[in-house]
Amino acid sequence: MSLGPEASVTDETSAPNTDAAEVRGPAEKAIAGRSLKQIAWRRLKRDKVALGGACVVIFLILVAILAPVLVKLFGHPIDEYHTDQLDLTFGTPIKPYGGISSDFILGVEPTSGRDVFSRIVYGAQTSLTVAFLSAFVSTFLGVLFGAAAGFLGGWVDATISRVMDFLLAFPQLLFSIALVSVLPYSFLGLDGRWSRILVLVGVIGFFGWPYIGRIVRGQTLSLREREFVEAARSMGARSPRIVFRELLPNLVAPILVYATLIIPTNILTEAALSFLGVGIPPPNPSWGGMLSDAVSVYQIDPMYMIVPGAMIFITVLAFNLFGDGLRDALDPKAR
């Protein structure tokens, strides 16, 4: 008979514990901590404008990668002339809106009749290749020299800072024109298009690293005095380990944001150089080169200027929107 009260007491005491556990479970999940990556991704998902820019960027990258396939399916060879689509008297497209039709979805070039769609697609391949590779070169050199200047200080910092000041004041456009004028049309076994792409990547990337170098230098000067760096140094960590294991992980956010924002600048630089005749040599396709060719015919065929101009505008806008959204998402002070 004595087991009855004990059993009842056990039942009464165990029930509230069960209810408390059920109550605490959801509460613990609700206050679960999130990593910085999760917080950044959650902020980025809320920014619909940035996601729209990212979707356009991904689409353009796929277009550049699949350029030969797209031209084969929806266009014509980039150097194939279609004089039957032109008015031989004036050299303008016969059909309205620049010759847009089911066979030529973006029209044809004046005076030559080449497919504008095919040249736009291959122009995207050229512009994005130059922009991404030159951004990689600028980022690599900027992080290397900027971190070295900020961490080592002294004469190293003074020397690198003066070099950055010199490059920032150097006329990049004039140097590009002078360099391209003395280089051969093709070298290193590459044709004219890819050899000129290599030159543009080197020039744009080399003159672009001081911008990110200054940012990395300033961040490194701030981080090298922080407690976690002092703790690593007191534990016997050497300089390379401190730089690669302590400083660089904290520099990923500004480096990533700047690399995203420098890409549209590189696209505009490549288009400007091609427009001036020192970029991608004709007849190779380039958005800047198409704009240069359109200057003499835009009054009689405005579509030939509108199409490449719109592509440059959309591409640069998409990268800028995505870069701004990424900067806001990675900012630890933002809400």
Side-chain angles (χ1 to χ4, degrees):
M1 299 295 295
S2 60
L3 295 175
E6 294 177 0
S8 62
V9 172
T10 305
D11 294 339
E12 291 176 358
T13 55
S14 62
N17 292 336
T18 304
D19 295 339
E22 292 177 355
V23 172
R24 286 198 302 268
E28 291 175 354
K29 294 180 180 179
I31 62 174
R34 299 185 180 92
S35 65
L36 295 178
K37 294 181 181 179
Q38 292 174 333
I39 295 174
W41 172 240
R42 190 174 182 180
R43 291 175 179 172
L44 188 60
K45 287 193 299 183
R46 293 176 180 175
D47 194 343
K48 304 301 181 183
V49 176
L51 288 181
C55 292
V56 175
V57 168
I58 294 173
F59 173 76
L60 292 172
I61 293 174
L62 292 176
V63 167
I65 295 174
L66 301 176
V69 179
L70 293 175
V71 169
K72 186 176 181 180
L73 293 176
F74 305 106
H76 302 80
I78 57 176
D79 292 327
E80 185 175 278
Y81 291 80
H82 302 274
T83 54
D84 57 320
Q85 301 292 322
L86 301 175
D87 184 347
L88 298 181
T89 303
F90 301 101
T92 56
I94 298 175
K95 297 179 180 179
Y97 303 106
I100 295 178
S101 63
S102 58
D103 293 331
F104 300 91
I105 57 179
L106 290 180
V108 296
E109 279 188 342
T111 70
S112 66
R114 292 180 295 190
D115 188 6
V116 174
F117 170 78
S118 301
R119 300 184 67 80
I120 284 291
V121 169
Y122 273 96
Q125 187 182 74
T126 300
S127 296
L128 293 181
T129 300
V130 172
F132 277 102
L133 291 181
S134 56
F136 174 79
V137 173
S138 298
T139 303
F140 177 79
L141 294 177
V143 172
L144 178 64
F145 291 108
F151 183 76
L152 298 177
W155 66 270
V156 176
D157 185 15
T159 302
I160 295 178
S161 297
R162 299 293 78 77
V163 171
M164 288 192 291
D165 294 338
F166 173 78
L167 291 177
L168 290 173
F170 197 84
Q172 174 184 350
L173 184 61
L174 295 179
F175 179 80
S176 302
I177 296 174
L179 181 63
V180 171
S181 62
V182 300
L183 287 176
Y185 182 77
S186 60
F187 58 91
L188 298 179
L190 302 174
D191 60 7
R193 181 192 180 201
W194 289 105
S195 62
R196 193 59 59 85
I197 286 177
L198 186 62
V199 172
L200 292 177
V201 168
V203 172
I204 298 174
F206 179 75
F207 283 98
W209 74 264
Y211 297 97
I212 191 171
R214 281 189 165 184
I215 295 174
V216 173
R217 174 185 174 274
Q219 293 292 327
T220 304
L221 287 173
S222 175
L223 291 174
R224 73 176 185 179
E225 305 298 335
R226 300 287 292 273
E227 293 81 1
F228 63 91
V229 176
E230 294 294 336
R233 187 179 287 113
S234 65
M235 295 176 65
R238 297 183 177 181
S239 296
R241 179 180 176 84
I242 294 175
V243 172
F244 288 101
R245 298 296 298 272
E246 305 295 340
L247 295 180
L248 286 182
N250 291 279
L251 295 172
V252 170
I255 292 172
L256 185 61
V257 170
Y258 185 81
T260 306
L261 294 176
I262 200 177
I263 290 176
T265 304
N266 294 341
I267 293 175
L268 291 176
T269 303
E270 183 275 326
L273 292 175
S274 297
F275 182 84
L276 295 175
V278 294
I280 306 301
N284 299 294
S286 170
W287 292 345
M290 295 177 69
L291 285 177
S292 179
D293 295 338
V295 170
S296 58
V297 296
Y298 76 94
Q299 292 182 341
I300 56 177
D301 186 13
M303 285 299 297
Y304 187 48
M305 175 173 283
I306 292 174
V307 173
M311 288 302 302
I312 295 175
F313 172 77
I314 293 172
T315 304
V316 172
L317 179 63
F319 274 103
N320 283 329
L321 292 177
F322 176 64
D324 289 339
L326 190 63
R327 178 186 57 194
D328 296 337
L330 294 176
D331 186 1
K333 298 180 181 179
R335 292 187 178 182

